[in-house]
Amino acid sequence: MAELTRPFLFPIVIYATAVVCLRLRGGRRRRFAAFLIPLVVFSGGWHAHQAWRFGQITWTNHAGFNLVRAWPMVGDVPLAPEAGRAPLDPDRDPNINTQVHHENSQRLVGAVLAFIWRNPETGVKHSIRRVQALVVTIRTSVYSHAPDHPVLRVYRPVVRVLSALLLANLIVLGARVLRRPRDAAHILGTPRNLLIVVTAYSVVVLAVGDASEEARFLISLLPLLAAAARSPWSDA
């Protein structure tokens, strides 16, 4: 259900489904096929509707505005005036559920992707810095709100250790896959290793997809950062 509302989760569903299916054998794979029926009906049907109706496979009307905050070097992008952004209620934020806002969002996404395509080296370096900002700097501020508390002084080093553990386990997992490439699907499809890949993917996507809310992004990943891979020399 979360996948239907969070755009970056859609590729994870495809990845997890593929590696788990490849890992199963015989009758277990046939039983797994029954699980795919509601997945294809609900998830596939919704994304097909999005593609047909709006020209995009994920449900988002604002992604470009988030994305460009993490890529300020793109510069100003010409946007159409949004005359229909009046709040639906005086106490609410401006209305972004409009066709013009969607089109402006798409323009911003296109501008960021075009910049990365033209400047791949800059794009890679900036992405690395953004990941560092998320898991090394360990920001605890959101926009201009920067609280200071003894708990936060403990929180930062603890999360740095958890982030280092995630990196170490990624290296271990990569070593296992390189050592036994024929068993890659079996290795990557185990729940523990799948969790490591999903967490690392989420770190990267959240880091390069928005800015100023790193504290909120990171805290949502804390339960996942400590997932441990098996030794690369293990046959289990």
Side-chain angles (χ1 to χ4, degrees), residues 170-217:
L170 272 174
I171 295 172
V172 169
L173 180 57
R176 288 199 69 198
V177 171
L178 291 174
R179 182 173 177 263
R180 298 164 56 188
R182 293 184 178 180
D183 297 327
H186 178 81
I187 295 169
L188 294 173
T190 62
R192 180 161 43 182
N193 294 339
L194 187 60
L195 181 59
I196 292 170
V197 175
V198 169
T199 306
Y201 164 83
S202 299
V203 166
V204 173
V205 171
L206 290 174
V208 302
D210 203 344
S212 302
E213 297 186 14
E214 288 84 356
R216 180 174 72 87
F217 298 151

Side-chain angles (χ1 to χ4, degrees), residues 53-116:
R53 179 67 177 81
F54 302 109
Q56 60 184 37
I57 62 173
T58 55
W59 187 16
T60 174
N61 208 37
H62 195 72
F65 293 88
N66 294 334
L67 186 62
V68 79
R69 284 207 299 263
W71 296 83
M73 69 285 290
V74 171
D76 293 332
V77 178
L79 300 178
E82 299 188 29
R85 289 198 67 189
L88 301 178
D89 184 274
D91 296 328
R92 295 185 181 181
D93 292 331
N95 176 29
I96 63 173
N97 189 27
T98 67
Q99 182 63 30
V100 176
H101 192 78
H102 164 74
E103 293 169 359
N104 283 337
S105 175
Q106 294 291 78
R107 290 186 190 183
L108 292 171
V109 171
V112 172
L113 294 179
F115 174 84
I116 297 172

Side-chain angles (χ1 to χ4, degrees), residues 142-154:
V142 177
Y143 297 104
S144 60
H145 184 59
D148 186 23
H149 192 277
V151 171
L152 296 179
R153 297 169 202 155
V154 176

